[in-house]
């Protein structure tokens, strides 16, 4: 395979893109782009004689039919600065290679995440792991920010006091809060990056990790624009339907076209019920996977 240079990606190398109040995402390196995906799929040498339109059509075909291995030929390496509580969610994506700063070797910096007022909201009534869509009033939000600030400052002061007493860094670090920023190098192939983005750009994902995912999506567009466009079209903005949901779709289309039902049930009778029907209606309404 010929070495792939993507000018748009070259322009992004080593640029810090800010995320949250003190974090960033930086593209350190990349291997391949759309051309590498096409080369791998065709097992050809060099660029070949295909047009851009034909290459984009092939990439789209691969994405639609879930032929994932050619996308694994593209690899991106990021330098990311993020709060520890975000990193603990992020690390669950075990298909990446990670090298994180170590509190055993380094004295951690006094840098903690402070949410913006609009990011502070009560616990959601219908989502056990998320916050409500309406934030607290400004006065309450400012009081919460003050409490968080005082708590993180006290934790870091405790950490420094333990270090000053001569306590080993590897044990003193247990006093540090989850809001503390950490840094890591994160390397992942394009197929698994798309999987990460599918999950972490979903509205149900935590707000803070979605902010990082949006920046990474923009970088992916620069590295592999055709592949990313296909991912957005078929995966990010698409939904999957279960077998019963497909039957319900057919039933509704039959009703609209006045065709006799082939489902074995009355034409106007839903095939789903309860929570199944609620999830199905929400998919149709929002266009999101649930």
């Amino acid at each position: 395979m010929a070495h792939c240079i993507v000018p748009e990606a070259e322009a992004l190398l080593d640029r810090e893109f800010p995320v949250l109040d003190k974090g960033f995402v930086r593209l350190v390196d990349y291997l391949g782009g759309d051309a590498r995906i096409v080369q791998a799929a065709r097992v050809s040498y060099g660029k070949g004689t295909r047009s851009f339109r034909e290459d984009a059509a092939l990439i789209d075909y691969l994405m639609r039919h879930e032929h994932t291995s050619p996308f694994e030929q593209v690899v991106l390496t990021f330098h990311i600065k993020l709060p520890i509580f975000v990193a603990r969610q992020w690390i669950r994506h075990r298909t990446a290679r990670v090298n994180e700063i170590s509190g055993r070797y380094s004295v951690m910096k006094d840098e903690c995440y402070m949410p913006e007022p609009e990011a502070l909201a009560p616990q959601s009534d219908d989502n056990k792991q998320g916050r409500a869509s309406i934030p607290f009033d400004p006065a309450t939000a400012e009081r919460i920010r003050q409490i968080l600030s005082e708590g993180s400052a006290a934790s870091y002061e405790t950490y420094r006091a333990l270090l000053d007493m001569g306590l080993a860094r590897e044990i003193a670090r247990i006093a540090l809060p989850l809001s503390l920023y950490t840094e890591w190098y994160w390397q992942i192939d394009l197929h698994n990056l798309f999987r990460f983005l599918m999950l972490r750009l979903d509205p149900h994902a935590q707000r803070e990790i979605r902010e990082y995912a949006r920046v990474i999506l923009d970088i992916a567009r620069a590295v592999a624009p055709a592949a990313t466009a296909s991912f957005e079209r078929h995966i990010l903005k698409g939904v999957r339907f279960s077998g019963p949901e497909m039957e319900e779709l057919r039933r509704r289309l039959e009703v609209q076209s006045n065709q006799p039902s082939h489902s074995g049930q009355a034409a106007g009778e839903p095939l789903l019920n309860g929570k199944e029907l609620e999830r199905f209606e929400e998919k149709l309404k929002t266009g999101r996977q649930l």
Side-chain angles (χ1 to χ4, degrees):
M1 294 183 182
H3 181 58
C4 294
I5 296 293
V6 183
E8 294 80 3
E10 293 288 318
L12 298 185
L13 288 175
D14 293 325
R15 285 180 55 188
E16 286 189 6
F17 294 92
V19 188
L20 302 181
D21 58 344
K22 303 178 187 72
F24 62 74
V25 172
R26 184 168 67 91
L27 179 65
V28 175
D29 200 1
Y30 69 97
L31 173 66
D34 287 334
R36 176 57 51 80
I37 297 168
V38 170
Q39 290 168 356
R42 293 191 174 123
V43 198
S44 63
Y45 182 80
K47 294 182 179 179
T49 59
R50 305 283 183 164
S51 69
F52 174 80
R53 179 175 296 182
E54 288 176 304
D55 286 349
L58 172 59
I59 288 172
D60 204 58
Y61 175 88
L62 296 171
M63 183 68 68
R64 289 198 320 272
H65 292 273
E66 299 184 1
H67 296 308
T68 60
S69 56
F71 297 99
E72 295 173 6
Q73 295 293 322
V74 179
V75 179
L76 296 87
T77 303
F78 298 95
H79 176 197
I80 300 168
K81 182 178 178 181
L82 69 170
I84 290 175
F85 74 93
V86 176
R88 298 290 79 73
Q89 291 181 318
W90 199 311
I91 202 67
R92 293 181 64 82
H93 297 268
R94 297 180 295 274
T95 50
R97 291 157 293 282
V98 181
N99 192 47
E100 185 176 3
I101 187 173
S102 172
R104 297 183 68 194
Y105 296 100
S106 305
V107 175
M108 302 301 289
K109 297 178 182 177
D110 185 9
E111 293 181 316
C112 293
Y113 168 59
M114 179 54 61
E116 294 295 324
E118 58 268 22
L120 299 171
Q123 181 67 40
S124 172
D125 291 330
D126 56 4
N127 182 357
K128 294 181 180 180
Q129 61 180 6
R131 72 196 82 175
S133 58
I134 301 176
F136 283 109
D137 63 88
T140 303
E142 190 53 41
R143 177 58 183 147
I144 291 171
R145 281 166 53 86
Q146 181 182 356
I147 292 171
L148 289 172
S149 178
E150 291 171 353
S152 60
S155 294
Y156 193 80
E157 184 178 342
T158 299
Y159 169 67
R160 289 299 318 197
L162 292 171
L163 291 177
D164 291 342
M165 292 173 64
L167 184 64
R169 289 186 291 269
E170 67 177 2
I171 191 65
R173 62 182 172 168
I174 69 175
L176 293 168
L178 289 175
S179 59
L180 194 81
Y181 273 88
T182 185
E183 296 183 36
W184 63 27
Y185 269 48
W186 189 64
Q187 185 183 79
I188 191 167
D189 67 68
L190 191 61
H191 163 61
N192 284 298
L193 178 62
F194 285 157
R195 175 72 179 172
F196 169 85
L197 293 173
M198 179 191 75
L199 294 171
R200 298 308 179 178
L201 286 170
D202 186 275
H204 293 96
Q206 186 162 346
R207 173 181 177 141
E208 286 76 13
I209 202 168
R210 292 203 312 267
E211 293 299 313
Y212 283 92
R214 290 190 187 100
V215 174
I216 290 173
L217 177 63
D218 289 339
I219 294 173
R221 285 196 193 100
V223 174
T228 305
S230 185
F231 159 71
E232 292 185 88
R233 181 164 52 251
H234 297 295
I235 307 299
L236 194 59
K237 297 177 182 178
V239 295
R240 292 176 180 268
F241 293 105
S242 67
E245 289 172 338
M246 284 302 301
E247 289 299 317
E248 175 64 15
L249 275 175
R250 293 189 186 99
R251 185 194 68 81
R252 295 190 183 194
L253 291 172
E254 288 166 353
V255 169
Q256 290 178 5
S257 61
N258 296 317
Q259 295 294 319
S261 175
H262 300 288
S263 63
Q265 289 192 233
E269 184 180 349
L271 299 173
L272 305 171
N273 52 61
K275 288 291 185 182
E276 285 185 339
L277 187 58
E278 287 181 23
R279 286 194 295 269
F280 176 68
E281 296 286 358
E282 188 68 13
K283 280 185 183 181
L284 293 179
K285 179 181 177 181
T286 64
R288 295 202 314 262
Q289 193 70 38
L290 301 176

